[in-house]
C-alpha cells in the first residue's frame, strides 16, 4: 500500500511539474517543498510557485458509514446536517474558503466522498486543473 501511495505522489508531482512548465527543484529556486495536512487524506503541497492539492476534503460532512457499520454517533453541539446514502451532499463553502486560498492542480485519487466532495467547489474557486488518478477502480 505504501509503495502505491508513494508511486502515486511521485507520478502526480511529475505530471504537475510538466504541465506547469516548472523547472526542477534547485534550478533557480531553493527547492523547498512545503506539505500542509488538510485533514482526512487531504494534502496541500507547494514549492512556493505551484500549489497542488491531493484529495482536498475540508467540509467534514456528517455522512454515512460504510455498509454494515454502526451509524456515527452525533456529539453534543454538532450541527452539521446528516446525509444518508441516497442524498446529495453539499460542500461547505465557508470551510473551503477558510482552508483553501489557492490551487493550481487538484489530484483526486478515488471517488469516495471524503476525497472528492470539495473538488468541484475548489476548482471553481481557484480555476485549478483537476487530475483524476483512479487506477484500479
Amino acid at each position: 500500500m505504501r509503495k502505491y501511495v508513494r508511486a502515486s505522489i511521485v507520478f502526480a508531482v511529475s505530471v504537475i511539474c510538466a504541465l506547469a512548465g516548472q523547472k526542477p527543484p534547485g534550478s533557480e529556486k531553493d527547492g523547498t517543498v512545503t506539505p500542509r495536512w488538510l485533514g482526512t487524506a487531504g494534502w496541500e503541497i507547494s514549492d512556493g510557485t505551484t500549489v497542488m492539492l491531493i484529495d482536498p476534503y475540508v467540509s467534514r460532512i456528517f455522512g454515512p458509514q460504510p455498509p454494515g457499520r454502526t451509524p456515527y454517533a452525533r456529539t453534543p453541539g454538532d450541527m452539521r446536517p446528516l446525509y444518508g446514502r441516497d442524498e446529495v451532499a453539499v460542500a461547505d463553502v465557508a470551510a473551503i474558503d477558510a482552508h483553501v486560498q489557492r490551487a493550481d492542480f487538484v489530484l483526486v485519487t478515488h471517488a469516495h466522498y471524503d476525497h472528492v466532495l470539495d473538488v468541484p467547489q475548489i476548482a471553481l474557486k481557484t480555476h485549478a486543473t483537476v487530475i483524476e488518478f483512479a487506477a484500479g477502480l
Side-chain angles (χ1 to χ4, degrees):
M1 179 68 174
R2 285 187 181 176
K3 286 183 181 180
Y4 172 75
V5 171
R6 194 172 296 138
S8 299
I9 292 172
V10 169
F11 174 76
V13 171
S14 299
V15 169
I16 289 168
C17 286
L19 290 173
Q22 297 296 308
K23 295 182 179 177
S27 58
E28 287 181 326
K29 298 183 282 183
D30 66 0
T32 302
V33 174
T34 307
R36 180 172 67 107
W37 185 53
L38 299 173
T40 312
W43 286 91
E44 176 188 277
I45 301 172
S46 177
D47 66 355
T49 302
T50 303
V51 176
M52 174 179 67
L53 303 179
I54 301 173
D55 292 337
Y57 170 66
V58 297
S59 286
R60 303 295 186 278
I61 67 165
F62 197 49
Q65 278 274 47
R69 293 190 58 193
T70 307
Y72 290 118
R74 209 182 263 280
T75 57
D78 187 350
M79 301 305 292
R80 295 176 293 168
L82 174 61
Y83 290 98
R85 291 208 169 276
D86 297 328
E87 296 175 291
V88 176
V90 178
D92 183 342
V93 176
I96 292 168
D97 287 344
H99 291 91
V100 176
Q101 283 68 50
R102 183 173 161 234
D104 297 299
F105 300 94
V106 178
L107 174 69
V108 178
T109 61
H110 64 280
H112 290 161
Y113 76 85
D114 59 340
H115 293 255
V116 74
L117 177 68
D118 295 343
V119 171
Q121 185 64 36
I122 290 170
L124 287 170
K125 174 184 176 175
T126 65
H127 305 284
T129 299
V130 177
I131 301 168
E132 177 191 14
F133 185 75
L137 291 182

